[in-house]
mmCIF file of all heavy atoms in Angstrom:
data_model
loop_
_atom_site.group_PDB
_atom_site.id
_atom_site.type_symbol
_atom_site.label_atom_id
_atom_site.label_comp_id
_atom_site.label_asym_id
_atom_site.label_seq_id
_atom_site.Cartn_x
_atom_site.Cartn_y
_atom_site.Cartn_z
ATOM 1 N N PRO A 1 -11.551 -46.096 -9.420
ATOM 2 C CA PRO A 1 -12.701 -45.494 -8.710
ATOM 3 C C PRO A 1 -12.314 -44.122 -7.969
ATOM 4 O O PRO A 1 -13.175 -43.360 -7.725
ATOM 5 C CB PRO A 1 -12.999 -46.601 -7.632
ATOM 6 C CG PRO A 1 -11.793 -47.489 -7.612
ATOM 7 C CD PRO A 1 -11.271 -47.405 -9.007
ATOM 8 N N HIS A 2 -10.957 -44.021 -7.637
ATOM 9 C CA HIS A 2 -10.545 -42.719 -7.030
ATOM 10 C C HIS A 2 -10.822 -41.451 -7.958
ATOM 11 O O HIS A 2 -10.783 -40.462 -7.489
ATOM 12 C CB HIS A 2 -8.976 -42.813 -6.735
ATOM 13 C CG HIS A 2 -8.740 -43.987 -5.713
ATOM 14 N ND1 HIS A 2 -9.074 -43.865 -4.347
ATOM 15 C CD2 HIS A 2 -8.095 -45.061 -5.873
ATOM 16 C CE1 HIS A 2 -8.664 -44.903 -3.763
ATOM 17 N NE2 HIS A 2 -8.118 -45.709 -4.671
ATOM 18 N N GLU A 3 -10.880 -41.643 -9.198
ATOM 19 C CA GLU A 3 -11.098 -40.610 -10.179
ATOM 20 C C GLU A 3 -12.518 -40.053 -10.166
ATOM 21 O O GLU A 3 -12.816 -38.867 -10.582
ATOM 22 C CB GLU A 3 -10.736 -40.971 -11.605
ATOM 23 C CG GLU A 3 -9.200 -41.299 -11.789
ATOM 24 C CD GLU A 3 -8.886 -41.705 -13.217
ATOM 25 O OE1 GLU A 3 -9.209 -40.833 -14.091
ATOM 26 O OE2 GLU A 3 -8.452 -42.837 -13.486
ATOM 27 N N TYR A 4 -13.503 -40.879 -9.712
ATOM 28 C CA TYR A 4 -14.882 -40.601 -9.835
ATOM 29 C C TYR A 4 -15.452 -39.874 -8.620
ATOM 30 O O TYR A 4 -16.383 -40.416 -7.962
ATOM 31 C CB TYR A 4 -15.691 -41.833 -10.241
ATOM 32 C CG TYR A 4 -15.337 -42.250 -11.637
ATOM 33 C CD1 TYR A 4 -14.204 -42.883 -11.911
ATOM 34 C CD2 TYR A 4 -16.221 -41.884 -12.795
ATOM 35 C CE1 TYR A 4 -13.833 -43.311 -13.298
ATOM 36 C CE2 TYR A 4 -15.848 -42.192 -14.032
ATOM 37 C CZ TYR A 4 -14.701 -42.914 -14.364
ATOM 38 O OH TYR A 4 -14.311 -43.275 -15.585
ATOM 39 N N SER A 5 -14.875 -38.810 -8.163
ATOM 40 C CA SER A 5 -15.331 -38.214 -6.865
ATOM 41 C C SER A 5 -16.567 -37.399 -7.115
ATOM 42 O O SER A 5 -16.967 -37.147 -8.356
ATOM 43 C CB SER A 5 -14.204 -37.203 -6.443
ATOM 44 O OG SER A 5 -14.101 -36.080 -7.449
ATOM 45 N N GLU A 6 -17.266 -37.176 -6.033
ATOM 46 C CA GLU A 6 -18.581 -36.518 -6.127
ATOM 47 C C GLU A 6 -18.379 -35.035 -6.809
ATOM 48 O O GLU A 6 -19.307 -34.739 -7.602
ATOM 49 C CB GLU A 6 -19.271 -36.427 -4.774
ATOM 50 C CG GLU A 6 -20.592 -35.701 -4.869
ATOM 51 C CD GLU A 6 -21.331 -35.633 -3.496
ATOM 52 O OE1 GLU A 6 -20.685 -36.021 -2.554
ATOM 53 O OE2 GLU A 6 -22.463 -35.139 -3.547
ATOM 54 N N GLU A 7 -17.273 -34.452 -6.490
ATOM 55 C CA GLU A 7 -17.071 -33.157 -7.061
ATOM 56 C C GLU A 7 -17.085 -33.261 -8.648
ATOM 57 O O GLU A 7 -17.478 -32.242 -9.257
ATOM 58 C CB GLU A 7 -15.797 -32.703 -6.398
ATOM 59 C CG GLU A 7 -15.504 -31.279 -7.000
ATOM 60 C CD GLU A 7 -14.053 -30.855 -6.430
ATOM 61 O OE1 GLU A 7 -13.451 -31.450 -5.516
ATOM 62 O OE2 GLU A 7 -13.561 -29.705 -6.905
ATOM 63 N N LYS A 8 -16.429 -34.265 -9.083
ATOM 64 C CA LYS A 8 -16.238 -34.390 -10.605
ATOM 65 C C LYS A 8 -17.435 -34.830 -11.282
ATOM 66 O O LYS A 8 -17.612 -34.498 -12.410
ATOM 67 C CB LYS A 8 -15.032 -35.394 -10.847
ATOM 68 C CG LYS A 8 -13.664 -34.811 -10.502
ATOM 69 C CD LYS A 8 -12.607 -35.882 -10.956
ATOM 70 C CE LYS A 8 -11.274 -35.390 -10.497
ATOM 71 N NZ LYS A 8 -10.203 -36.414 -10.790
ATOM 72 N N VAL A 9 -18.328 -35.766 -10.710
ATOM 73 C CA VAL A 9 -19.290 -36.487 -11.461
ATOM 74 C C VAL A 9 -20.846 -35.945 -11.138
ATOM 75 O O VAL A 9 -21.673 -36.338 -11.809
ATOM 76 C CB VAL A 9 -19.108 -37.928 -11.312
ATOM 77 C CG1 VAL A 9 -17.756 -38.418 -11.829
ATOM 78 C CG2 VAL A 9 -19.479 -38.427 -9.952
ATOM 79 N N LYS A 10 -20.870 -35.272 -9.992
ATOM 80 C CA LYS A 10 -22.219 -34.956 -9.582
ATOM 81 C C LYS A 10 -22.979 -34.122 -10.591
ATOM 82 O O LYS A 10 -22.453 -33.269 -11.099
ATOM 83 C CB LYS A 10 -22.293 -34.245 -8.248
ATOM 84 C CG LYS A 10 -23.713 -34.035 -7.673
ATOM 85 C CD LYS A 10 -23.662 -33.405 -6.307
ATOM 86 C CE LYS A 10 -24.985 -33.171 -5.683
ATOM 87 N NZ LYS A 10 -24.949 -32.658 -4.385
ATOM 88 N N GLY A 11 -24.107 -34.614 -10.966
ATOM 89 C CA GLY A 11 -25.094 -33.837 -11.957
ATOM 90 C C GLY A 11 -24.597 -33.960 -13.355
ATOM 91 O O GLY A 11 -25.088 -33.334 -14.302
ATOM 92 N N LYS A 12 -23.732 -34.979 -13.565
ATOM 93 C CA LYS A 12 -23.223 -35.197 -15.014
ATOM 94 C C LYS A 12 -23.540 -36.606 -15.374
ATOM 95 O O LYS A 12 -23.669 -37.553 -14.723
ATOM 96 C CB LYS A 12 -21.808 -34.938 -15.039
ATOM 97 C CG LYS A 12 -21.423 -33.472 -14.786
ATOM 98 C CD LYS A 12 -19.972 -33.146 -14.925
ATOM 99 C CE LYS A 12 -19.680 -31.752 -14.547
ATOM 100 N NZ LYS A 12 -18.281 -31.377 -14.662
ATOM 101 N N ALA A 13 -23.702 -36.807 -16.708
ATOM 102 C CA ALA A 13 -23.828 -38.088 -17.394
ATOM 103 C C ALA A 13 -22.353 -38.498 -17.717
ATOM 104 O O ALA A 13 -21.461 -37.621 -17.985
ATOM 105 C CB ALA A 13 -24.643 -38.072 -18.530
ATOM 106 N N ILE A 14 -22.105 -39.894 -17.761
ATOM 107 C CA ILE A 14 -20.870 -40.426 -18.106
ATOM 108 C C ILE A 14 -20.986 -41.312 -19.266
ATOM 109 O O ILE A 14 -21.662 -42.291 -19.145
ATOM 110 C CB ILE A 14 -20.084 -41.008 -16.848
ATOM 111 C CG1 ILE A 14 -20.068 -40.024 -15.762
ATOM 112 C CG2 ILE A 14 -18.717 -41.556 -17.291
ATOM 113 C CD1 ILE A 14 -19.512 -40.583 -14.397
ATOM 114 N N ILE A 15 -20.174 -41.173 -20.344
ATOM 115 C CA ILE A 15 -20.172 -42.194 -21.298
ATOM 116 C C ILE A 15 -18.879 -43.018 -20.923
ATOM 117 O O ILE A 15 -17.739 -42.551 -20.822
ATOM 118 C CB ILE A 15 -19.838 -41.531 -22.749
ATOM 119 C CG1 ILE A 15 -21.068 -40.723 -23.184
ATOM 120 C CG2 ILE A 15 -19.552 -42.640 -23.801
ATOM 121 C CD1 ILE A 15 -20.781 -39.896 -24.352
ATOM 122 N N PHE A 16 -19.273 -44.340 -20.612
ATOM 123 C CA PHE A 16 -18.182 -45.135 -20.017
ATOM 124 C C PHE A 16 -17.934 -46.463 -20.853
ATOM 125 O O PHE A 16 -18.782 -46.968 -21.300
ATOM 126 C CB PHE A 16 -18.643 -45.492 -18.645
ATOM 127 C CG PHE A 16 -17.700 -46.193 -17.760
ATOM 128 C CD1 PHE A 16 -16.657 -45.475 -17.208
ATOM 129 C CD2 PHE A 16 -17.684 -47.487 -17.416
ATOM 130 C CE1 PHE A 16 -15.737 -46.060 -16.314
ATOM 131 C CE2 PHE A 16 -16.738 -48.190 -16.554
ATOM 132 C CZ PHE A 16 -15.662 -47.328 -16.147
ATOM 133 N N SER A 17 -16.674 -46.552 -21.105
ATOM 134 C CA SER A 17 -16.334 -47.833 -21.992
ATOM 135 C C SER A 17 -15.057 -48.399 -21.368
ATOM 136 O O SER A 17 -13.980 -47.766 -21.121
ATOM 137 C CB SER A 17 -15.927 -47.268 -23.380
ATOM 138 O OG SER A 17 -15.548 -48.311 -24.270
ATOM 139 N N THR A 18 -15.219 -49.713 -21.152
ATOM 140 C CA THR A 18 -13.961 -50.569 -20.550
ATOM 141 C C THR A 18 -13.744 -51.713 -21.543
ATOM 142 O O THR A 18 -14.497 -52.128 -22.408
ATOM 143 C CB THR A 18 -14.386 -51.004 -19.184
ATOM 144 O OG1 THR A 18 -15.347 -51.936 -19.284
ATOM 145 C CG2 THR A 18 -14.633 -49.913 -18.304
ATOM 146 N N THR A 19 -12.518 -52.266 -21.370
ATOM 147 C CA THR A 19 -12.111 -53.569 -22.050
ATOM 148 C C THR A 19 -13.049 -54.611 -21.872
ATOM 149 O O THR A 19 -13.341 -55.304 -22.755
ATOM 150 C CB THR A 19 -10.623 -53.913 -21.696
ATOM 151 O OG1 THR A 19 -9.819 -52.725 -21.769
ATOM 152 C CG2 THR A 19 -10.155 -55.023 -22.554
ATOM 153 N N ASN A 20 -13.454 -54.983 -20.670
ATOM 154 C CA ASN A 20 -14.253 -56.085 -20.360
ATOM 155 C C ASN A 20 -15.754 -55.783 -19.917
ATOM 156 O O ASN A 20 -16.715 -56.499 -20.442
ATOM 157 C CB ASN A 20 -13.524 -56.929 -19.288
ATOM 158 C CG ASN A 20 -12.260 -57.272 -19.516
ATOM 159 O OD1 ASN A 20 -11.814 -57.899 -20.591
ATOM 160 N ND2 ASN A 20 -11.201 -56.879 -18.751
ATOM 161 N N GLY A 21 -15.945 -54.799 -19.112
ATOM 162 C CA GLY A 21 -17.312 -54.571 -18.455
ATOM 163 C C GLY A 21 -18.303 -54.227 -19.679
ATOM 164 O O GLY A 21 -19.448 -54.644 -19.644
ATOM 165 N N SER A 22 -17.831 -53.399 -20.572
ATOM 166 C CA SER A 22 -18.738 -52.977 -21.656
ATOM 167 C C SER A 22 -19.199 -54.059 -22.457
ATOM 168 O O SER A 22 -20.495 -54.077 -22.878
ATOM 169 C CB SER A 22 -18.201 -51.829 -22.478
ATOM 170 O OG SER A 22 -17.838 -50.755 -21.764
ATOM 171 N N HIS A 23 -18.343 -55.049 -22.808
ATOM 172 C CA HIS A 23 -18.842 -56.298 -23.448
ATOM 173 C C HIS A 23 -19.920 -57.034 -22.799
ATOM 174 O O HIS A 23 -20.810 -57.641 -23.380
ATOM 175 C CB HIS A 23 -17.657 -57.132 -23.972
ATOM 176 C CG HIS A 23 -16.617 -56.435 -24.886
ATOM 177 N ND1 HIS A 23 -17.074 -56.081 -26.184
ATOM 178 C CD2 HIS A 23 -15.410 -55.954 -24.769
ATOM 179 C CE1 HIS A 23 -16.152 -55.543 -26.824
ATOM 180 N NE2 HIS A 23 -15.121 -55.488 -26.069
ATOM 181 N N ALA A 24 -19.703 -57.261 -21.432
ATOM 182 C CA ALA A 24 -20.598 -58.153 -20.740
ATOM 183 C C ALA A 24 -21.941 -57.273 -20.500
ATOM 184 O O ALA A 24 -22.934 -58.003 -20.723
ATOM 185 C CB ALA A 24 -20.052 -58.161 -19.235
ATOM 186 N N ILE A 25 -21.906 -56.029 -20.426
ATOM 187 C CA ILE A 25 -23.234 -55.301 -20.450
ATOM 188 C C ILE A 25 -23.874 -55.428 -21.836
ATOM 189 O O ILE A 25 -25.129 -55.588 -21.910
ATOM 190 C CB ILE A 25 -22.877 -53.845 -20.010
ATOM 191 C CG1 ILE A 25 -22.644 -53.726 -18.662
ATOM 192 C CG2 ILE A 25 -24.272 -53.010 -20.299
ATOM 193 C CD1 ILE A 25 -21.972 -52.271 -18.267
ATOM 194 N N ASP A 26 -23.133 -55.282 -22.837
ATOM 195 C CA ASP A 26 -23.728 -55.454 -24.213
ATOM 196 C C ASP A 26 -24.240 -56.820 -24.403
ATOM 197 O O ASP A 26 -25.446 -56.919 -25.009
ATOM 198 C CB ASP A 26 -22.682 -55.153 -25.329
ATOM 199 C CG ASP A 26 -23.191 -55.187 -26.594
ATOM 200 O OD1 ASP A 26 -24.042 -54.355 -26.997
ATOM 201 O OD2 ASP A 26 -22.826 -55.918 -27.519
ATOM 202 N N LYS A 27 -23.655 -57.967 -23.964
ATOM 203 C CA LYS A 27 -24.375 -59.231 -24.057
ATOM 204 C C LYS A 27 -25.623 -59.379 -23.316
ATOM 205 O O LYS A 27 -26.482 -60.003 -23.640
ATOM 206 C CB LYS A 27 -23.348 -60.226 -23.449
ATOM 207 C CG LYS A 27 -22.034 -60.465 -24.320
ATOM 208 C CD LYS A 27 -21.174 -61.589 -23.533
ATOM 209 C CE LYS A 27 -19.984 -61.760 -24.403
ATOM 210 N NZ LYS A 27 -19.101 -62.702 -23.731
ATOM 211 N N ALA A 28 -25.724 -58.596 -22.286
ATOM 212 C CA ALA A 28 -27.047 -58.701 -21.327
ATOM 213 C C ALA A 28 -28.051 -57.687 -21.685
ATOM 214 O O ALA A 28 -29.102 -57.608 -20.995
ATOM 215 C CB ALA A 28 -26.505 -58.724 -19.966
ATOM 216 N N ARG A 29 -27.826 -56.935 -22.708
ATOM 217 C CA ARG A 29 -28.688 -55.794 -22.869
ATOM 218 C C ARG A 29 -30.150 -55.890 -23.164
ATOM 219 O O ARG A 29 -30.955 -55.106 -22.936
ATOM 220 C CB ARG A 29 -28.072 -54.820 -23.909
ATOM 221 C CG ARG A 29 -28.246 -55.429 -25.425
ATOM 222 C CD ARG A 29 -27.354 -54.464 -26.410
ATOM 223 N NE ARG A 29 -27.515 -54.921 -27.744
ATOM 224 C CZ ARG A 29 -26.873 -55.906 -28.312
ATOM 225 N NH1 ARG A 29 -25.940 -56.616 -27.544
ATOM 226 N NH2 ARG A 29 -26.954 -56.256 -29.511
ATOM 227 N N TYR A 30 -30.368 -57.174 -23.715
ATOM 228 C CA TYR A 30 -31.877 -57.572 -23.994
ATOM 229 C C TYR A 30 -32.507 -58.284 -22.819
ATOM 230 O O TYR A 30 -33.542 -58.803 -22.948
ATOM 231 C CB TYR A 30 -32.010 -58.419 -25.205
ATOM 232 C CG TYR A 30 -31.433 -57.713 -26.431
ATOM 233 C CD1 TYR A 30 -30.416 -58.076 -27.180
ATOM 234 C CD2 TYR A 30 -32.074 -56.478 -26.890
ATOM 235 C CE1 TYR A 30 -30.020 -57.489 -28.260
ATOM 236 C CE2 TYR A 30 -31.630 -55.725 -27.972
ATOM 237 C CZ TYR A 30 -30.486 -56.326 -28.744
ATOM 238 O OH TYR A 30 -30.101 -55.635 -29.724
#
């Protein structure tokens, strides 16, 4: 979370992929 400062991410879209969280989101997408 320390990497995602407002200076770095404000006004930008983020393609985000993780070992566990992405799979959980995919399971619940419908």
Side-chain angles (χ1 to χ4, degrees):
H2 296 289
E3 296 181 53
Y4 293 80
S5 65
E6 183 177 2
E7 180 184 354
K8 289 181 181 177
V9 304
K10 187 174 182 179
K12 297 182 180 178
I14 302 172
I15 296 172
F16 193 70
S17 179
T18 67
T19 305
N20 303 303
S22 297
H23 291 296
I25 292 169
D26 186 57
K27 286 179 183 177
R29 69 188 183 280
Y30 296 120

